[in-house]
C-alpha cells in the first residue's frame, strides 16, 4: 500500500507515451468493470467477485483521478493557451467530461463498495447501468483526447527539459500521495 504507483514507462517518441499508456490501462480496467458488473448480476456477491470489486474500485478511484490530474496540469493548459478556438473549445469539453466522469464515479463507487461488503442492498442491475454509462462516456472521452488533444499538445510541449519536468511532477505527486496514504 505504501509503494508509489508506478508511472507508466515513457514512450521513446516522447512524453505523450505516458498518457497513451494510461489510457490503455484505463481501458483494460473498464473492461474488467463491465465484466464484473455482468458477473455480479449472474452469480451474486461471491467471494472472488467481492475481491475483484475491491480491486476494480480501488484502482479506478485512484488511478483514473490521477490521470485526470495529470491532464489538467500538463495537457489542458497549453491547449487553452494555444489561441486556437477549436482546440480551446474541445479542451473545455474535455474538462467538462472530467466533471461528469467524477460525478458518475461517485455513483458507482458506493455500489462497488456494497458488492465488496456483500451488503443485501447491493443492486446488480443498477451497477450494470451506471457502469455502462461510465464506460461509454470514458471511451468517447479518451477517443477525443487521443484524436485531437494529444496530437495537438505534442508540439507544444516538445523539448527534453519540458517533458522531463512533466515526468518529474507526475512522479512526485504520486509519490507524495502514496506517502500520505501511509
Ligand atoms: Fe481526460
Ligand atoms: Fe485521458
Amino acid at each position: 500500500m505504501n509503494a508509489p504507483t508506478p508511472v507508466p514507462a515513457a514512450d521513446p517518441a516522447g512524453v505523450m507515451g505516458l498518457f497513451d499508456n494510461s489510457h490503455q490501462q484505463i481501458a483494460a480496467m473498464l473492461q474488467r468493470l463491465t465484466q464484473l458488473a455482468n458477473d455480479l448480476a449472474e452469480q451474486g456477491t461471491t467471494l472472488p467477485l467481492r475481491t475483484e470489486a475491491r480491486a476494480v474500485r480501488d484502482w479506478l478511484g485512484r488511478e483514473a483521478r490521477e490521470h485526470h490530474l495529470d491532464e489538467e496540469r500538463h495537457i489542458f493548459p497549453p491547449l487553452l493557451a494555444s489561441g486556437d478556438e477549436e482546440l480551446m473549445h474541445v479542451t473545455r469539453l474535455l474538462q467538462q467530461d472530467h466533471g461528469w466522469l467524477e460525478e458518475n464515479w461517485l455513483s458507482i463507487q458506493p455500489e462497488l463498495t456494497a458488492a465488496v461488503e456483500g451488503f443485501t442492498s447491493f443492486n446488480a442491475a443498477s451497477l450494470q447501468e451506471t457502469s455502462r454509462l461510465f464506460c461509454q462516456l470514458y471511451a468517447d472521452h479518451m477517443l477525443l483526447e487521443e484524436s485531437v488533444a494529444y496530437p495537438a499538445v505534442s508540439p507544444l510541449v516538445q523539448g527534453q527539459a519540458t517533458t522531463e519536468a512533466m515526468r518529474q511532477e507526475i512522479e512526485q505527486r504520486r509519490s507524495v500521495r502514496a506517502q500520505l496514504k501511509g
Side-chain angles (χ1 to χ4, degrees):
M1 268 311 205
N2 286 350
T5 308
V7 171
D11 185 274
V15 79
M16 297 317 299
L18 287 171
F19 292 91
D20 286 330
N21 201 324
S22 288
H23 275 196
Q24 285 172 26
Q25 292 178 351
I26 290 169
M29 196 54 69
L30 293 177
Q31 274 192 344
R32 272 174 73 176
L33 173 63
T34 300
Q35 184 68 49
L36 171 67
N38 292 340
D39 290 348
L40 283 165
E42 283 176 16
Q43 301 166 35
T45 51
T46 63
L47 198 54
L49 292 181
R50 288 168 63 182
T51 303
E52 174 69 354
R54 182 189 298 278
V56 169
R57 179 199 62 184
D58 291 352
W59 195 94
L60 280 173
R62 186 180 62 238
E63 297 304 323
R65 283 171 168 155
E66 286 293 331
H67 173 71
H68 294 171
L69 271 179
D70 293 342
E71 290 175 334
E72 283 159 18
R73 283 174 184 243
H74 299 292
I75 302 291
F76 296 168
L79 294 176
L80 288 170
S82 67
D84 181 322
E85 279 303 326
E86 200 176 321
L87 263 183
M88 290 155 71
H89 173 66
V90 167
T91 307
R92 284 192 286 272
L93 291 178
L94 292 171
Q95 283 178 312
Q96 214 169 47
D97 282 351
H98 282 188
W100 287 117
L101 286 167
E102 176 67 13
E103 200 163 307
N104 286 3
W105 178 248
L106 291 176
S107 300
I108 294 173
Q109 197 171 33
E111 293 187 323
L112 287 173
T113 295
V116 169
E117 302 297 338
F119 290 154
T120 52
S121 61
F122 171 67
N123 184 331
S126 174
L127 178 64
Q128 277 183 304
E129 182 58 11
T130 51
S131 297
R132 189 184 64 75
L133 294 171
F134 182 68
C135 291
Q136 184 61 59
L137 175 58
Y138 226 133
D140 291 346
H141 176 78
M142 290 195 291
L143 188 62
L144 189 57
E145 288 180 335
E146 288 167 18
S147 59
V148 179
Y150 289 2
V153 86
S154 268
L156 302 174
V157 297
Q158 283 300 335
Q160 194 59 38
T162 311
T163 55
E164 187 51 33
M166 190 187 285
R167 164 176 275 281
Q168 278 180 13
E169 191 281 329
I170 290 171
E171 283 181 341
Q172 207 170 36
R173 179 155 35 82
R174 290 177 188 218
S175 167
V176 166
R177 187 209 58 214
Q179 284 169 15
L180 285 176
K181 281 186 81 179

